[in-house]
Amino acid sequence: MLPTLPGLALGLLLALALGQTFQFQEHVFLQFLGLDKVPSPKKFQPVPSILKRIFQGQEAAATTGVSQDLCSVQELGVRGNVLRLLPDRGFFLYSKSPSQASSCLKKLLSFNLSAISRGEQFTMAQLGLDLGPNTYYNLGPELELALSLVQESHVWGQATRKTGKVFVLQSVPRPQGVLHFNLLDVTKRSHHSGKNLGLFLEILVKGERASGEDFQLEDTCAGLRRSLHASLLVVTLHPEQCRPSSRTRRAAIPASRASCKSLCHRHQLFINFRDLGWHKWIIAPKGFMANYCHGDCPFSLTTALNSSNYAFMQALMHAVDPEVPQAVCIPTKLSPISMLYQDNDDNVILRHYEDMVVDECGCG
C-alpha cells in the first residue's frame, strides 16, 4: 500500500533531520503544504490577531494533552483545517467628473483566491472592514455602506469591469470600528469560476448636507480613506487531511521503557525548521518534537511490543519461511500539529496537519 501524503511528509522531515537527502525532498513537502515553490518573503508579515489567538489556543491545549478536533475552528464555530486572512489588493476610485453629493469614497476591493486549491471546501468567508478607531470624542455623520460584486466582461479582446446588483446595504452610525460581512456564497462562486473576488465598495453620507457641514464632511471622508482597511478571512476544509473523529494531540507521553535498547521503541527527534532553511517562511512553531520509531521486532517479543495481530502472524510466518520479511518497527499512534507560515503571495496561513508527531511505536 502506498504511503499517504502526510506519511510521506513526516518521513521526509525525519530523513532530512537524520541527514538523508532525496531529489524530490522539497517538492513533496511543499505539495503537502499546498505550495508550488518555496516561499521567499522579503520580510515576515504581521500575524493577524485572529490567527495568532487560534494558534496559541491550540498550542496551549497541546501542552496539557486536552483532546480537541483541529479540523474544527471552535472560535469561529465552523469546520476547517486551513485559515487564510487575505489582504485587499484593490485601489480607490477617483472620478474626474463631480461625484454625487452624498458619496464619501469609492474603492475596488480585490482578493486573490488562486492559492486555494480545488480540493478545499469553503466553510467560511468573512469580509472585515476596518473604518478606523472607535472613539466618541470626534463624532461624525451617519454613513451608508454599499457593496456590489464586480464582474468582468470582454469586448473586442479588452477586459472591462462592471458592477452588479448591490447585495449589502447597511447603515453605519459613526463612530464605528470593524464591520463583518458573510461572503461565503459569492466567494465560492468566484473561486469556482476561476476568478479572484472583486467587490465595489461605496460609502455614502446619509441625510441632507447643510452648507456648514462641508468642512467636517470632507475631514470625515479623508479620515475614512486613510484608515480604511479590508481583509477576507477564508476558512476551508481539506477532506483528505481531516478525519471526522477528534484526536488527542501530542502531550507529555513518556517514551516506552523497553527492557532492551535494541528493541522497537520511540526515539526523540526534534525537527528544527532553521536547520532545514525553512525558518524564512515558517512563522511558528520554530520546530516540533516529531520523534521516530526504531528497533528490532523479534518473534519471541512481538506481542509485547505494542504489535498488531497481523504483525504477530507475519513474525510467525517468517519463523516458518525466511522469505517472508520480518515485522518492522513503525508508528502506531500519531498526533497533529498546527503551523503558521507565509505562502507565495505573502498571505499568512494557519493550517492543521495530521500525523506529524510519533507518540507510540509498535511492530507491524
Side-chain angles (χ1 to χ4, degrees):
M1 183 176 65
L2 293 175
T4 60
L5 192 56
L8 282 172
L10 179 56
L12 167 65
L13 286 173
L14 296 179
L16 288 171
L18 291 171
Q20 303 175 23
T21 58
F22 293 102
Q23 187 175 8
F24 62 89
Q25 57 187 26
E26 284 192 333
H27 172 72
V28 173
F29 188 70
L30 292 174
Q31 181 185 3
F32 173 61
L33 291 178
L35 300 170
D36 55 355
K37 61 180 179 180
V38 177
S40 55
K42 296 180 180 178
K43 64 176 182 178
F44 274 134
Q45 299 294 333
V47 179
S49 58
I50 178 65
L51 300 188
K52 182 185 295 184
R53 186 166 64 250
I54 294 174
F55 177 79
Q56 291 174 343
Q58 293 173 347
E59 288 296 291
T63 56
T64 58
V66 176
S67 178
Q68 59 175 338
D69 182 6
L70 292 184
C71 288
S72 179
V73 188
Q74 298 180 357
E75 291 84 352
L76 302 176
V78 296
R79 293 279 296 165
N81 66 320
V82 188
L83 289 82
R84 298 177 175 90
L85 194 67
L86 306 179
D88 169 36
R89 310 288 189 185
F91 48 87
F92 286 100
L93 300 174
Y94 298 94
S95 176
K96 294 182 180 179
S97 58
S99 60
Q100 296 180 358
S102 60
S103 180
C104 196
L105 67 82
K106 297 178 181 180
K107 189 178 184 184
L108 179 67
L109 306 179
S110 179
F111 301 99
N112 188 354
L113 306 178
S114 62
I116 304 173
S117 67
R118 292 286 183 179
E120 298 179 48
Q121 299 175 358
F122 286 81
T123 60
M124 181 177 182
Q126 184 183 77
L127 173 67
L129 291 178
D130 188 350
L131 302 183
N134 193 349
T135 173
Y136 286 88
Y137 293 105
N138 187 16
L139 296 176
E142 186 174 1
L143 307 175
E144 187 173 75
L145 185 147
L147 273 175
S148 56
L149 191 64
V150 173
Q151 301 170 339
E152 287 190 356
S153 59
H154 297 269
V155 181
W156 298 102
Q158 294 183 347
T160 59
R161 296 186 182 94
K162 61 178 182 178
T163 58
K165 183 179 179 181
V166 174
F167 63 91
V168 170
L169 187 64
Q170 178 173 325
S171 294
V172 182
R174 293 284 296 173
Q176 184 63 51
V178 182
L179 302 174
H180 295 103
F181 304 93
N182 180 7
L183 301 187
L184 180 60
D185 291 337
V186 295
T187 303
K188 288 169 63 175
R189 286 198 298 269
S190 295
H191 184 258
H192 181 72
S193 62
K195 299 178 181 179
N196 292 328
L197 178 62
L199 302 169
F200 176 67
L201 168 67
E202 184 173 15
I203 297 181
L204 309 147
V205 179
K206 293 192 68 175
E208 297 294 332
R209 291 176 53 181
S211 58
E213 296 177 346
D214 289 349
F215 182 78
Q216 180 184 357
L217 180 61
E218 292 301 324
D219 288 346
T220 298
C221 295
L224 279 173
R225 282 190 289 270
R226 288 192 302 268
S227 60
L228 178 64
H229 176 76
S231 59
L232 184 70
L233 176 61
V234 177
V235 182
T236 60
L237 177 70
H238 206 299
E240 296 180 357
Q241 298 176 0
C242 276
R243 286 180 278 276
S245 59
S246 68
R247 304 183 58 190
T248 303
R249 287 201 61 196
R250 63 193 187 281
I253 303 174
S256 57
R257 298 182 179 274
S259 58
C260 179
K261 292 183 179 180
S262 64
L263 297 180
C264 174
H265 67 283
R266 187 188 68 174
H267 300 256
Q268 289 190 345
L269 175 64
F270 183 77
I271 301 292
N272 190 326
F273 290 132
R274 178 173 289 275
D275 293 341
L276 303 177
W278 293 340
H279 63 289
K280 298 177 182 178
W281 52 278
I282 296 180
I283 303 171
K286 303 302 181 183
F288 68 101
M289 188 66 75
N291 304 321
Y292 68 98
C293 298
H294 183 69
D296 299 330
C297 292
F299 170 68
S300 59
L301 292 177
T302 301
T303 55
L305 295 177
N306 198 23
S307 306
S308 63
N309 292 334
Y310 178 82
F312 174 77
M313 295 303 300
Q314 183 178 351
L316 182 62
M317 289 303 300
H318 174 76
V320 176
D321 182 3
E323 293 293 327
V324 177
Q326 288 184 337
V328 294
C329 188
I330 59 173
T332 57
K333 184 178 180 182
L334 296 145
S335 59
I337 67 169
S338 296
M339 285 174 49
L340 271 170
Y341 64 93
Q342 287 187 202
D343 66 4
N344 297 316
D345 296 312
D346 286 343
N347 298 317
V348 178
I349 298 175
L350 172 59
R351 190 162 186 164
H352 154 77
Y353 295 102
E354 288 277 359
D355 300 339
M356 291 292 285
V357 177
V358 176
D359 291 328
E360 295 178 5
C361 302
C363 295

